[in-house]
Amino acid sequence: MMLLKYRKYKKVLIYTADVLIIFLAFVFSNLLLREWSVPLADKGTFLLYVVVIPLMYVLVFHTIGLYQSLWTVAGYYDYKNVVLANVLAGVILLVLNFAVMKGTLSFAAIVMASMMILLGTLAVRMYFRIYRRLLLEKMPKHREELPGIKKVLIIGAGQAAAMILKEIRHHQELMMHVVGLVDDSDYKQGSRIAGFKVLGRTKDLPKLVEEFEVDEILFAIPSLPHEERRHVLEVAKTTKAKLKTLPGIYEMVDKGINLSSIRDVEISDLLGRKEIKLNNDKIAEYISGKTVLVTGGGGSIGSELCRQIASLSPKKLIILDIYENNAYEIENELKRKYPDLNLLTLIASVRDQKKIDRIFKKEKPETVFHAAAHKHVPLMETSPEEAIKNNVFGTLHVALAARNFGAERFILISTDKAVNPTNIMGASKRLCEMIVQTLDADSEETDFVAVRFGNVLGSNGSVIPLFKEQIKNGGPVTLTHKEIVRYFMTIPEAVQLVLQAGSYAQGGEIFVLDMGDPVKIYDLAENLIRLSGYEPHTDIEIKITGLRPGEKLYEELLMAEEGLEKTPNDLIYIGRPNGFDKESLKETLMMLKEKVQDEEVSSKMVKELVGSIVKTYTPDLR
């Protein structure tokens, strides 16, 4: 109630205080300089001190905007304006005194009074901010014992932690009680930040969580390198506390630090991958000012390609997808974010060769990213002809159109499952790579390349969303084998490297992305359960179901005969094209096309025929 009254009368109080401060400043300055003689003996002097000078100061203060500021939340620029207004008013008074008032006031009196007014007006305005802070911090004793209070331990004792502590202090409705901080810096041990003590180091986290009954651990070192970040989070996740984090330093630059920046720790935070460094000028050479087509533009990889391409100012971006809902979502997102983007969304199937040709003939795309594909291994095992129709002949249709209508660059999104494939999906993608290499050998205008990488976190149908759904439903979390391992990368990381690899294209290359260290899926499942606030095997069961048809224990990114060549980016390599009979490929593809269109063809026949083309494919003919 008292705070509401202050809000209502605050402006009147500030006006009154300013006038009183100005009057008293000149009275006291004259008293001091005239050895305590009374300066208000005549009517003219009285009017000067009580009316003229205060009115002039108040007009200047009003012009500068001092009476429009919210002093309860004032900052540097508000206080800077107070200083500016006082200096300006003092200068104006000096000019008036010697030009109009014939030196009625001494120079020393004006300077001394101006200093008093500056200190007084600053003090009045700082009072409101200090009063608000004291009012907000006035909480019951033993606040941590109140029902609903979350006890928080912060990792990091730097600038980010200080800003978060400030936010928590100002938003007590969040019911967060900070018990302290941890930091590995020697000189910060035992010190205090904003009144909160640094209690120890990373290694002390388990002990501190138990001692202070911590509910949440907040990671607040956005600039920490990924490898060190992973180490800290690995220690933190061994505790029972829920893990939260601030995003990385680059996102913090864009969005700043506040409570809305805090998010749950994700599996990607535990991967500890290297920071990706891109040559954006090189990427812009084949994107900026070009007409770019992305097939499968509504999918996980395709939509992220569209996002990153849109930021590079293409002449035109064409999203092509058969699934209208996904295409509609990414179209709306890009329109909101890039209102000036020349964007065209087309619903079409890469299986429809005539439609693809019409699109290329009309739009003349210069750069093509081919991401459209069937990717689900078990589903394709039971419908191999669909994998061939969509992946193999869809790629052939788009690639031929790119060549026939003068595209400069064609980039195929491939997969590590194309290496020594044990399933039809992987074999179909290897066939796609062979098509790209064959067409490149026959093409003078278009550079055809493929980019091969492993699993991406959070993509449609990947293991992470499946695990999250199973945890949400109380378990069990199912995986096919305890020893199964996979390479993982985030979708934005993968797309950044795809764009960079495309800039190195000379024609015929298979670019291989460095996926980091392989991840054991069993460990991934345990980590995800812990990050969700449960204990694996106690709260959530992990169930082994057995390998599915066509599934490997581990994936490879390169065939033995391909070898590796370096590129300017240490996360991108080139697999040397291995030899295969290109003429024979063309003939076999025609035969394969007839077979998959034959209603009588069996899955076994399709797999056998693909196996005769892709020599490294070992089909499951059960």
Side-chain angles (χ1 to χ4, degrees):
M1 183 62 70
M2 189 177 292
L3 184 61
L4 290 174
K5 287 180 180 178
Y6 264 99
R7 285 174 179 170
K8 185 176 180 180
Y9 299 114
K10 184 172 61 181
K11 191 171 288 189
V12 175
L13 286 169
I14 293 176
Y15 272 115
T16 305
D18 284 350
V19 170
L20 189 60
I21 288 166
I22 295 162
F23 168 71
L24 291 175
F26 277 95
V27 169
F28 281 118
S29 65
N30 275 277
L31 280 171
L32 291 171
L33 293 170
R34 296 185 183 187
E35 299 180 352
W36 301 100
S37 62
V38 179
L40 302 176
D42 62 81
K43 186 177 179 181
T45 306
F46 180 83
L47 288 173
L48 180 66
Y49 287 180
V50 175
V51 178
V52 178
I53 294 176
L55 181 61
M56 186 274 295
Y57 263 86
V58 168
L59 285 172
V60 172
F61 287 0
H62 185 81
T63 303
I64 298 296
L66 299 194
Y67 300 115
Q68 283 74 48
S69 295
L70 295 173
W71 293 106
T72 51
V73 290
Y76 165 76
Y77 290 102
D78 298 292
Y79 295 119
K80 184 188 75 172
N81 284 340
V82 175
V83 176
L84 176 64
N86 274 277
V87 171
L88 182 60
V91 170
I92 291 172
L93 182 58
L94 279 170
V95 172
L96 289 174
N97 181 56
F98 293 106
V100 179
M101 296 184 292
K102 307 301 181 184
T104 303
L105 302 170
S106 70
F107 178 80
I110 293 174
V111 172
M112 184 180 292
S114 296
M115 294 298 294
M116 291 180 184
I117 294 167
L118 173 60
L119 293 174
T121 51
L122 278 171
V124 166
R125 284 152 179 82
M126 291 178 72
Y127 163 78
F128 288 100
R129 182 171 174 82
I130 293 167
Y131 173 80
R132 177 179 181 271
R133 176 168 291 186
L134 291 173
L135 194 66
L136 286 174
E137 291 182 1
K138 190 178 180 182
M139 294 292 291
K141 292 182 179 180
H142 307 297
R143 181 172 180 266
E144 67 274 15
E145 297 176 7
L146 292 175
I149 284 283
K150 288 183 293 186
K151 295 181 182 178
V152 179
L153 181 63
I154 295 179
I155 298 174
Q159 188 64 32
M163 295 179 75
I164 286 297
L165 286 169
K166 179 182 175 183
E167 288 280 310
I168 291 173
R169 182 171 275 157
H170 286 176
H171 294 276
Q172 299 207 5
E173 70 276 6
L174 296 172
M175 303 293 281
M176 297 171 75
H177 171 71
V178 178
V179 301
L181 306 96
V182 298
D183 197 290
D184 286 332
S185 172
D186 290 333
Y187 80 90
K188 291 181 181 178
Q189 299 306 309
S191 61
R192 290 182 179 271
I193 293 183
F196 296 95
K197 189 175 181 180
V198 178
L199 301 171
R201 306 170 189 273
T202 300
K203 63 182 178 61
D204 301 317
L205 279 170
K207 179 184 72 176
L208 292 171
V209 167
E210 289 294 327
E211 181 181 344
F212 292 97
E213 299 179 337
V214 173
D215 300 303
E216 281 187 5
I217 295 174
L218 171 57
F219 181 86
I221 320 176
S223 60
L224 197 68
H226 278 255
E227 193 59 42
E228 294 176 45
R229 180 189 183 95
R230 181 175 69 170
H231 167 70
V232 173
L233 292 176
E234 286 285 350
V235 175
K237 75 178 176 63
T238 62
T239 71
K240 294 180 180 180
K242 190 173 179 63
L243 292 186
K244 300 274 189 177
T245 184
L246 290 174
I249 187 66
Y250 298 109
E251 190 174 344
M252 304 278 24
V253 169
D254 291 337
K255 299 181 180 179
I257 297 177
N258 51 56
L259 290 177
S260 63
S261 305
I262 298 172
R263 59 170 174 80
D264 290 338
V265 171
E266 300 284 350
I267 284 294
S268 57
D269 295 309
L270 301 177
L271 289 180
R273 291 185 50 78
K274 300 176 187 175
E275 205 68 64
I276 293 177
K277 297 177 182 178
L278 300 177
N279 184 339
N280 289 315
D281 292 337
K282 188 79 172 169
I283 296 171
E285 287 177 8
Y286 78 104
I287 298 292
S288 300
K290 305 280 188 180
T291 298
V292 183
L293 170 68
V294 181
T295 70
S300 304
I301 296 294
S303 62
E304 183 61 26
L305 274 167
C306 292
R307 289 184 191 97
Q308 295 192 26
I309 290 166
S311 70
L312 294 168
S313 304
K315 177 182 176 183
K316 188 175 191 177
L317 174 58
I318 304 169
I319 301 171
L320 187 146
D321 205 298
I322 188 60
Y323 186 43
E324 60 181 15
N325 291 345
N326 283 350
Y328 178 73
E329 286 178 11
I330 186 63
E331 178 188 48
N332 282 340
E333 179 186 330
L334 294 180
K335 281 181 176 179
R336 284 193 305 271
K337 193 170 183 180
Y338 304 99
D340 297 328
L341 176 67
N342 185 3
L343 181 65
L344 174 65
T345 302
L346 299 172
I347 303 302
S349 172
V350 293
R351 298 185 185 195
D352 188 341
Q353 186 173 7
K354 291 181 179 179
K355 179 68 179 287
I356 294 297
D357 284 346
R358 286 199 300 272
I359 291 170
F360 271 78
K361 184 178 181 180
K362 181 181 179 182
E363 302 298 337
K364 296 287 193 300
E366 294 153 283
T367 302
V368 180
F369 290 91
H370 181 51
H374 285 325
K375 302 178 181 72
H376 292 262
V377 170
L379 294 179
M380 293 304 100
E381 282 302 294
T382 55
S383 303
E385 65 281 0
E386 297 305 311
I388 301 304
K389 290 176 187 176
N390 200 69
N391 295 0
V392 176
F393 293 106
T395 297
L396 182 61
H397 296 158
V398 178
L400 285 173
R403 184 192 67 179
N404 296 339
F405 294 99
E408 297 171 2
R409 206 164 305 209
F410 178 96
I411 298 149
L412 168 71
I413 305 300
S414 190
T415 170
D416 56 2
K417 293 177 175 62
V419 181
N420 300 322
T422 57
N423 55 70
I424 193 67
M425 195 286 281
S428 72
K429 295 299 282 185
R430 176 57 193 148
L431 260 174
C432 295
E433 292 179 351
M434 294 164 70
I435 288 170
V436 163
Q437 291 176 316
T438 300
L439 285 177
D440 184 76
D442 296 337
S443 176
E444 295 181 1
E445 293 184 14
T446 309
D447 291 325
F448 289 89
V449 298
V451 183
R452 186 190 288 166
F453 54 91
N455 298 277
V456 287
L457 292 170
S459 65
N460 295 332
S462 76
V463 71
I464 305 297
L466 174 62
F467 284 174
K468 284 183 176 179
E469 185 65 25
Q470 290 174 335
I471 293 168
K472 182 181 176 183
N473 294 329
V477 170
T478 59
L479 61 149
T480 56
H481 198 286
K482 191 170 183 177
E483 301 302 321
I484 198 166
V485 294
R486 290 290 182 267
Y487 292 98
F488 280 101
M489 181 182 280
T490 66
I491 295 173
E493 282 177 329
V495 169
Q496 285 177 323
L497 292 175
V498 166
L499 290 173
Q500 188 71 82
S503 71
Y504 301 143
Q506 298 296 315
E509 299 98 337
I510 294 178
F511 292 100
V512 180
L513 304 187
D514 180 351
M515 298 293 295
D517 297 325
V519 177
K520 196 173 179 181
I521 303 298
Y522 193 85
D523 294 341
L524 188 74
E526 288 187 324
N527 287 335
L528 200 55
I529 291 169
R530 288 193 183 98
L531 291 178
S532 301
Y534 302 104
E535 189 62 31
H537 313 295
T538 302
D539 302 320
I540 302 287
E541 179 191 357
I542 298 177
K543 186 177 180 181
I544 307 298
T545 60
L547 288 173
R548 298 171 297 185
E551 188 173 30
K552 292 180 178 181
L553 275 179
Y554 61 94
E555 302 289 2
E556 306 156 272
L557 287 167
L558 195 71
M559 286 178 278
E561 67 271 20
E562 286 181 318
L564 276 182
E565 295 176 14
K566 290 184 177 181
T567 70
N569 189 304
D570 61 4
L571 294 177
I572 303 173
Y573 297 88
I574 300 173
R576 290 194 300 272
N578 58 343
F580 56 89
D581 189 338
K582 294 180 174 60
E583 289 303 318
S584 174
L585 175 65
K586 294 175 185 177
E587 294 174 7
T588 317
L589 280 176
M590 295 305 297
M591 189 187 309
L592 185 60
K593 190 171 187 176
E594 291 177 8
K595 289 290 183 184
V596 295
Q597 290 174 346
D598 185 353
E599 294 181 0
E600 302 298 323
V601 73
S602 67
S603 296
K604 182 179 178 181
M605 291 172 62
V606 172
K607 291 178 181 179
E608 286 177 338
L609 185 52
V610 171
S612 70
I613 308 170
V614 181
K615 304 299 183 183
T616 55
Y617 172 41
T618 307
D620 185 346
L621 300 177
R622 289 176 290 176

